[in-house]
């Protein structure tokens, strides 16, 4: 009974109001705030309980009463009454409403507050709709809109309100504000009697109803939306500034490749993580869940390099997995490949001519047959084992129709490739990377002369 215990320590309505406001202050650095609080057990003879819900109220509407909206109510109202006076109810909305689903009542975000960033998934046995908020570049599931814990009836993601709550003095609209509506019933006499049963302030309206042995308090209190520290989005990684290649801290607000650009280096092991989410083609990796999303990336022998703006577009989930592999190379010469430098820094239209053999082939396939390529999960990552190269050869042959038998089968490299394709053993150690690159070069030379099917 966390909140009930706090309320029982108050003795005046002003203190009670401050205590309820402090509930939301305590979530200042959290991504969520309470949407519904439900504690205690009250009967006519004994006990106490506390219930709280959130509403969104337009700033132009004054709080001149309490419980501005009935609990979980959702319907559209006319902005004017029959006598042409303003109907305040049309500008006040419950944050949480109900939805019927297979004879169950589920909590849901008010449909008026939904946006394109919110996606719903198959409902579970939870007490609320399974909706997730994603405002990232990538098509990931995102954060739950609503969630419950052992101590919280229902929490709501703060980001939901980003498009609705704006500074009253700014020229950004719309201008709503959060109001916590609550009911507190008790047989405890800790709240002192006052001359009036109504408590008013610029931010609250509270009504007290006293019985012989009980007190019932209804109230509506404005509560601020604490958006927390904007620096929280910065990652604990080192960035090599483009100007001087000196390490600096990460700039999380950088997305457009402007003059503050830099490089973020990772150890080669991150490929094992990234390949789960992305296809690799020439100088980019492409999101498996949404091929419209791509990221510039330089895969080098001793490191994987992102431009800072490209790294910032990665999903938080992926960043969290790869950040531990961030490092600053001792040798900062050749921090990116010649092809990447040519494309991004020199703006050379012929940058692709400087690609390595495997990426020349990747570039050609991406232009000609990308959809068919990803249908068979073809990706361009240097093989570490014979089985990796075998899988790659089989996919290339399936895609292009160019079999190894087209080449000089008496050549040693072709013999090695044939043996690998057939799952055989090699009589001597082989440089798989070099063999992979030679194979890609040969396929690329043949494929570019094939009719574009």
């Amino acid at each position: 009974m966390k909140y009930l215990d706090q309320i029982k320590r108050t003795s005046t309505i002003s203190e009670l109001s401050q205590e309820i406001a402090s509930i939301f202050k305590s979530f200042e650095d959290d991504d969520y705030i309470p949407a519904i609080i439900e504690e205690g057990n009250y009967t006519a003879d004994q006990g106490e309980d506390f219930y709280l819900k959130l509403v969104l109220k337009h700033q132009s509407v004054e709080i001149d009463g309490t419980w501005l909206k009935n609990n979980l109510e959702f319907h559209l109202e006319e902005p004017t009454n029959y006598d042409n006076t303003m109907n305040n109810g049309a500008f006040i909305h419950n944050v949480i409403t109900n939805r019927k689903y297979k004879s169950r009542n589920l909590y849901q975000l008010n449909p008026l507050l939904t946006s394109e960033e919110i996606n719903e998934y198959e409902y579970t046995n939870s007490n609320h709709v399974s909706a997730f908020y994603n405002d990232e570049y990538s098509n990931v599931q995102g954060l739950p809109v609503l969630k419950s814990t052992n101590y919280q009836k229902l929490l709501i993601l703060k980001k939901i309100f980003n498009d609705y709550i704006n500074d009253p003095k700014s020229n950004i609209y719309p201008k709503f504000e959060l109001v916590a509506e609550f009911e507190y019933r008790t047989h405890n006499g800790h709240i002192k009697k006052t001359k009036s049963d109504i408590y008013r302030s610029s931010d609250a309206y509270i009504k007290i109803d006293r019985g012989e042995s009980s007190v019932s308090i209804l109230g509506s209190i404005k509560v601020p939306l604490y958006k927390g520290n904007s620096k929280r989005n910065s990652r604990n990684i080192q960035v090599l500034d483009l100007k001087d290649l000196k390490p600096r801290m990460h700039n999380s607000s950088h997305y457009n490749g402007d003059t503050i650009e830099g490089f973020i280096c990772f150890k080669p092991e991150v490929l094992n993580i990234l390949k789960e989410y992305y296809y690799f083609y020439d100088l980019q990796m492409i999101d498996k869940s949404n091929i419209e999303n791509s990221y510039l990336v330089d895969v080098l022998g001793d490191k994987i390099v992102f431009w800072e703006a490209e790294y910032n577009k990665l999903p938080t989930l992926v960043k969290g997995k790869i950040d531990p592999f961030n490092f600053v190379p001792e040798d900062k010469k050749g921090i990116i490949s010649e092809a990447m430098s040519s494309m991004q820094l020199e703006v050379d239209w012929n940058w692709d001519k400087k690609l390595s053999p495997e990426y020349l082939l990747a570039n050609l396939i991406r232009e000609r047959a990308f959809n068919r390529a990803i249908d068979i999960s073809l990706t361009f990552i240097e093989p570490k084992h014979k089985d990796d190269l075998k899988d790659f050869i089989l996919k290339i042959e399936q895609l292009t129709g160019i079999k190894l038998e087209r080449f000089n089968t008496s050549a040693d490299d072709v013999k090695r490739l044939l043996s690998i394709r057939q799952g055989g053993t090699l009589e001597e150690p082989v440089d798989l990377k070099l063999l992979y690159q030679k194979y890609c070069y040969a396929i690329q030379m043949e494929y570019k002369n094939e009719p574009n099917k």
Side-chain angles (χ1 to χ4, degrees):
M1 303 298 178
K2 177 179 179 181
Y3 299 117
L4 265 177
D5 290 342
Q6 294 175 7
I7 290 171
K8 283 191 291 188
R9 290 196 289 266
T10 64
S11 60
T12 67
I13 294 298
S14 177
E15 288 178 0
L16 174 64
S17 177
Q18 293 172 13
E19 191 62 52
I20 290 173
S22 73
I23 292 173
F24 295 88
K25 174 68 175 176
S26 68
F27 286 83
E28 181 173 5
D29 293 323
D30 204 311
D31 291 327
Y32 291 81
I33 55 172
I36 292 179
I37 297 173
E38 192 173 73
E39 291 186 352
N41 184 26
Y42 177 88
T43 68
D45 300 320
Q46 61 183 354
E48 57 193 343
D49 63 7
F50 175 63
Y51 183 89
L52 178 145
K53 69 181 179 74
L54 288 178
V55 300
L56 264 184
K57 178 190 73 64
H58 197 273
Q59 293 171 1
S60 63
V61 177
E62 295 297 327
I63 299 181
D64 56 2
T66 185
W67 278 72
L68 308 173
K69 212 75 170 179
N70 290 334
N71 195 30
L72 306 179
E73 176 185 74
F74 163 62
H75 62 265
L76 296 176
E77 298 183 37
E78 288 287 341
T80 56
N81 296 311
Y82 293 113
D83 58 359
N84 290 326
T85 58
M86 186 172 74
N87 175 21
N88 289 339
F91 307 96
I92 301 169
H93 309 286
N94 276 318
V95 169
I96 302 300
T97 62
N98 261 340
R99 176 184 296 184
K100 284 281 189 182
Y101 179 73
K102 295 183 178 179
S103 301
R104 289 191 296 146
N105 281 322
L106 299 179
Y107 290 122
Q108 68 169 357
L109 178 69
N110 190 323
L112 292 174
L113 306 181
T114 58
S115 65
E116 63 180 11
E117 289 89 4
I118 297 174
N119 289 299
E120 291 187 6
Y121 293 78
E122 183 66 28
Y123 299 161
T124 64
N125 291 322
S126 174
N127 66 345
H128 57 265
V129 169
S130 182
F132 293 82
Y133 180 92
N134 173 33
D135 60 350
E136 297 188 301
Y137 173 79
S138 290
N139 185 26
V140 295
Q141 182 169 282
L143 295 170
V145 170
L146 304 174
K147 68 178 184 178
S148 301
T149 71
N150 292 334
Y151 306 102
Q152 301 288 349
K153 175 75 173 182
L154 196 65
L155 295 165
I156 187 167
L157 185 68
K158 288 180 182 178
K159 285 185 176 182
I160 296 300
F161 304 113
N162 284 352
D163 293 333
Y164 302 102
I165 298 176
N166 294 296
D167 187 339
K169 298 179 181 179
S170 74
N171 59 356
I172 303 175
Y173 297 88
K175 295 184 184 296
F176 284 84
E177 54 195 358
L178 279 177
V179 175
E181 303 205 302
F182 70 93
E183 180 178 27
Y184 172 52
R185 299 183 297 178
T186 182
H187 291 280
N188 189 320
H190 64 95
I191 299 293
K192 295 178 180 177
K193 292 185 177 181
T194 56
K195 293 181 180 180
S196 172
D197 291 335
I198 303 295
Y199 171 86
R200 297 173 184 261
S201 73
S202 59
D203 294 329
Y205 186 103
I206 299 174
K207 181 181 178 181
I208 307 103
D209 183 15
R210 294 183 183 273
E212 291 185 5
S213 63
S214 64
V215 176
S216 176
I217 302 174
L218 295 174
S220 298
I221 300 174
K222 292 182 188 177
V223 291
L225 181 67
Y226 297 99
K227 296 185 178 180
N229 188 347
S230 61
K231 293 182 180 179
R232 288 176 63 205
N233 291 327
S234 294
R235 314 290 300 188
N236 186 26
I237 56 174
Q238 292 289 298
V239 182
L240 297 178
D241 197 84
L242 176 61
K243 292 181 179 179
D244 53 17
L245 295 184
K246 290 183 178 179
R248 62 168 170 79
M249 294 306 295
H250 171 233
N251 178 2
S252 62
S253 61
H254 173 213
Y255 289 94
N256 57 7
D258 55 20
T259 55
I260 59 171
E261 187 58 274
F263 305 108
I264 305 178
C265 300
F266 296 92
K267 295 176 182 178
E269 294 93 312
V270 298
L271 270 181
N272 294 326
I273 298 169
L274 295 173
K275 69 182 182 182
E276 296 180 23
Y277 303 96
Y278 306 101
Y279 300 111
F280 284 80
Y281 281 76
D282 46 65
L283 297 179
Q284 59 185 300
M285 59 186 201
I286 298 156
D287 197 329
K288 289 182 177 180
S289 64
N290 183 356
I291 61 172
E292 299 299 319
N293 293 339
S294 63
Y295 310 78
L296 288 177
V297 62
D298 225 352
V299 180
L300 304 173
D302 59 342
K303 57 186 174 291
I304 312 298
V305 185
F306 287 96
W307 298 88
E308 185 178 38
E310 295 293 296
Y311 166 85
N312 285 345
K313 294 191 297 185
L314 289 172
T316 302
L317 171 70
V318 174
K319 290 176 188 169
K321 290 185 176 183
I322 69 174
D323 282 359
F325 297 93
N326 170 239
F327 79 112
V328 176
E330 293 184 9
D331 183 7
K332 299 183 181 63
K333 293 181 181 179
I335 198 71
I336 54 177
S337 67
E338 188 178 0
M340 180 69 82
S341 178
S342 182
M343 176 209 281
Q344 292 297 108
L345 301 178
E346 301 166 21
V347 197
D348 185 350
W349 287 97
N350 296 312
W351 62 270
D352 55 314
K353 303 298 188 294
K354 299 176 182 178
L355 289 168
S356 57
E358 66 270 34
Y359 287 150
L360 278 172
L361 176 58
N363 183 263
L364 182 60
I365 288 176
R366 185 169 57 82
E367 291 177 354
R368 281 194 174 188
F370 179 63
N371 287 332
R372 288 193 293 122
I374 61 173
D375 280 345
I376 58 174
S377 299
L378 177 64
T379 189
F380 287 81
I381 296 176
E382 177 188 329
K384 299 301 180 185
H385 308 283
K386 288 189 301 178
D387 287 344
D388 296 337
L389 185 51
K390 173 186 175 180
D391 181 67
F392 181 78
I393 293 169
L394 292 173
K395 288 178 178 178
I396 288 292
E397 290 188 339
Q398 179 182 348
L399 179 73
T400 65
I402 301 173
K403 303 290 186 179
L404 282 170
E405 285 79 5
R406 182 182 298 192
F407 303 100
N408 180 6
T409 55
S410 63
D412 289 341
D413 284 336
V414 177
K415 288 180 180 179
R416 295 185 182 103
L417 289 167
L418 283 166
S419 178
I420 289 172
R421 188 189 68 180
Q422 293 162 6
T425 58
L426 298 174
E427 296 180 356
E428 55 188 24
V430 172
D431 185 336
L432 278 184
K433 178 180 179 180
L434 181 59
L435 191 59
Y436 166 65
Q437 289 185 324
K438 286 181 177 181
Y439 173 68
C440 288
Y441 178 78
I443 294 294
Q444 187 261 340
M445 294 299 292
E446 288 288 317
Y447 189 50
K448 72 178 182 180
N449 293 320
E450 292 273 311
N452 192 357
K453 300 176 183 178

